[in-house]
Amino acid sequence: MLKKKVEEICNRQVEREGYSSNLYLAMAVWAETNGYPGVADWLYAQAEEEKLHMLKFVKYINERGGKAVIPAMKKPVSEYKSVENLFQEVLKHEEFVTASINEIVALTLEEKDFNTQNFLQWFVTEQVEEEASVRTILDKVRLVGKNNMYQFDKDIMGLRAQATNSPATA
Ligand code: FEO
């Protein structure tokens, strides 16, 4: 049985993963309507992954005798200055999610909830990979500059394929 405190913080993560999914959807819409179909595809796929992350928490809470709460939708930012600006926001958001997962790990250690701590290990690994892949993309965006954005947009699909082949991505 989940302790109330752990259930609450896991439900906070349900909200954050759900928001991540909507945020990436809003970003995908921006990319698709600004002539970056490759970036949009990457973001649509990312939005799907975040939905799966949310579901992992939902199922875990329910399995352990708690009750998952599906939150109201918060409207994500939908305007970006550039592709670089968009990926800076992705990185900032992923760093926020990493900190959030780490807070849950810290609480489970405090509460001696080793089952939840074990469940969270997948997310700890996933966050390292997500941050690394966004940093790789950001480096690439900075290198190509405005002139080669067309090629960058095509290349990003290759980066996506690499990320989906990694073990922590489900
Ligand atoms: Fe589910 Fe990208 O954090």
Side-chain angles (χ1 to χ4, degrees):
M1 187 84 181
L2 276 184
K3 287 186 183 166
K4 205 70 204 159
K5 269 186 183 175
V6 177
E7 182 178 344
E8 279 168 9
I9 203 167
C10 285
N11 265 317
R12 185 185 78 174
Q13 199 61 27
V14 168
E15 195 270 329
R16 290 181 176 177
E17 300 290 347
Y19 178 75
S20 305
S21 182
N22 283 345
L23 174 64
Y24 297 151
L25 264 186
M27 288 175 166
V29 170
W30 179 87
E32 196 161 51
T33 55
N34 280 276
Y36 302 109
V39 174
D41 278 1
W42 190 91
L43 288 159
Y44 279 124
Q46 204 60 31
E48 282 301 306
E49 274 195 24
E50 298 300 350
K51 197 175 156 198
L52 290 175
H53 296 175
M54 178 180 77
L55 271 175
K56 274 182 194 277
F57 272 96
V58 165
K59 297 271 185 194
Y60 180 75
I61 295 165
N62 293 344
E63 261 168 31
R64 298 289 316 286
K67 189 175 183 209
V69 178
I70 307 304
M73 280 193 184
K74 192 167 80 184
K75 190 179 175 196
V77 175
S78 56
E79 287 302 321
Y80 298 90
K81 288 196 239 31
S82 61
V83 170
E84 182 177 344
N85 169 240
L86 181 148
F87 279 108
Q88 277 166 347
E89 292 302 317
V90 173
L91 182 59
K92 218 195 279 176
H93 185 71
E94 287 303 326
E95 286 170 346
F96 165 74
V97 172
T98 301
S100 181
I101 295 287
N102 289 345
E103 277 172 28
I104 313 177
V105 174
L107 180 73
T108 58
L109 291 174
E110 216 175 275
E111 297 291 329
K112 299 191 170 32
D113 180 348
F114 302 116
N115 292 323
T116 305
Q117 199 231 336
N118 188 46
F119 161 75
L120 291 166
Q121 287 316 301
W122 184 90
F123 286 90
V124 170
T125 309
E126 173 72 5
Q127 283 312 117
V128 172
E129 288 184 5
E130 291 214 330
E131 282 192 26
S133 78
V134 180
R135 284 196 185 95
T136 304
I137 291 171
L138 255 181
D139 287 346
K140 215 169 155 58
V141 180
R142 286 173 184 142
L143 273 177
V144 296
K146 278 208 172 77
N147 298 340
N148 288 315
M149 279 313 288
Y150 176 75
Q151 189 55 42
F152 166 80
D153 190 60
K154 282 191 359 194
D155 288 354
I156 194 169
M157 286 316 289
L159 290 172
R160 175 84 226 154
Q162 278 170 25
T164 32
N165 287 336
S166 66
T169 313

